[in-house]
Amino acid sequence: MTEELSGIYFEETVESIVSDITEEEELCFIVQTSTAITSMDNQLKYYDKLSTFKSVTNGKGLTDTVAFIEKILALTGKTTFYVYSVKTDTSAGFQEAVTISEDIKEIRKIIYYEENESAQANPISDKMAALTTACHNTYKYGAFRIAYVIPAATISAAVTAASSTAPETTVVNTFTSLLSGDGDGRLAVMFSGIRDESQAASIALKK
């Protein structure tokens, strides 16, 4: 037996702290169609596989949206996701699409793929403003979100519509109008001539 010498001894105690930041990120998609989807409209739904979502939305006017969601899931390697189907086409309806999940902290990306150009009563600019506001509101509850929007009106469409101004000017004006007042990182607009894997990859790879 070894006898300790007199003096002051320091002992280190290691304590394990269980972190509550262990959840996996979940994606939340906002969809909108003129066709009623009773099981989804104005509701937040969780899907554990894409095939179930496809069966629910088959023939409901979301062909491009479903294809886009499939690309993002393939790029992220995810099989589970949330979907909110907006049936109340107002700013309040789009805010609800985000704030309804404010208690689900693992949702960090809200993605809205605009299947068809929005009605004048609630244009894409108003929807983006509503999503930005909603992301601010969920921030107060510890849910940190960014809204990603892929408008139906592409740059190529803007250029085609240019008449009295140069195509480059039309594109700049379109960007300026859509992003007016946004500068805090709560909104990202994916806006290009071809809405394909490039946007899906940009969303999937952003952390």
Side-chain angles (χ1 to χ4, degrees):
M1 179 176 180
T2 303
E3 184 176 344
E4 293 184 346
L5 299 175
S6 61
I8 300 174
Y9 292 84
F10 296 93
E11 292 185 359
E12 181 180 19
T13 300
V14 179
E15 181 179 349
S16 296
I17 300 176
V18 179
S19 172
D20 62 354
I21 310 177
T22 58
E23 70 275 1
E24 287 289 331
E25 180 184 23
E26 292 283 2
L27 301 174
C28 182
F29 298 93
I30 296 175
V31 302
Q32 186 179 29
T33 175
S34 57
T35 305
I37 308 178
T38 306
S39 64
M40 286 178 55
D41 289 342
N42 293 333
Q43 302 175 60
L44 181 70
K45 304 292 289 188
Y46 178 78
Y47 292 94
D48 58 7
K49 52 186 176 181
L50 182 64
S51 59
T52 303
F53 176 66
K54 282 184 171 181
S55 65
V56 172
T57 57
N58 184 41
K60 301 297 185 179
L62 292 171
T63 303
D64 292 343
T65 301
V66 172
F68 193 72
I69 290 175
E70 186 168 12
K71 290 172 184 174
I72 291 180
L73 293 177
L75 285 165
T76 58
K78 294 183 177 297
T79 57
T80 60
F81 56 99
Y82 286 89
V83 176
Y84 184 94
S85 177
V86 175
K87 191 50 57 182
T88 306
D89 190 16
T90 62
S91 290
F94 271 79
Q95 287 189 45
E96 174 69 9
V98 178
T99 58
I100 193 174
S101 63
E102 63 190 17
D103 61 323
I104 305 176
K105 303 301 189 295
E106 59 264 37
I107 294 178
R108 302 186 190 102
K109 295 173 184 174
I110 306 292
I111 306 165
Y112 174 53
Y113 184 100
E114 189 186 28
E115 181 86 17
N116 299 297
E117 288 195 55
S118 300
Q120 288 300 312
N122 191 30
I124 189 63
S125 55
D126 287 359
K127 291 178 180 178
M128 293 195 308
L131 293 175
T132 303
T133 297
C135 285
H136 274 286
N137 290 339
T138 57
Y139 177 87
K140 301 173 185 176
Y141 299 97
F144 310 112
R145 276 88 182 269
I146 295 178
Y148 294 85
V149 177
I150 301 89
T154 63
I155 286 179
S156 59
V159 172
T160 301
S163 55
S164 58
T165 58
E168 294 83 357
T169 302
T170 304
V171 172
V172 170
N173 290 343
T174 301
F175 264 110
T176 302
S177 176
L178 281 178
L179 295 173
S180 177
D182 182 74
D184 59 6
R186 296 293 175 197
L187 176 71
V189 178
M190 319 300 290
F191 201 56
S192 73
I194 303 175
R195 302 191 299 166
D196 57 8
E197 286 85 353
S198 61
Q199 292 94 337
S202 294
I203 294 172
L205 297 175
K206 279 185 170 62
K207 298 296 183 182

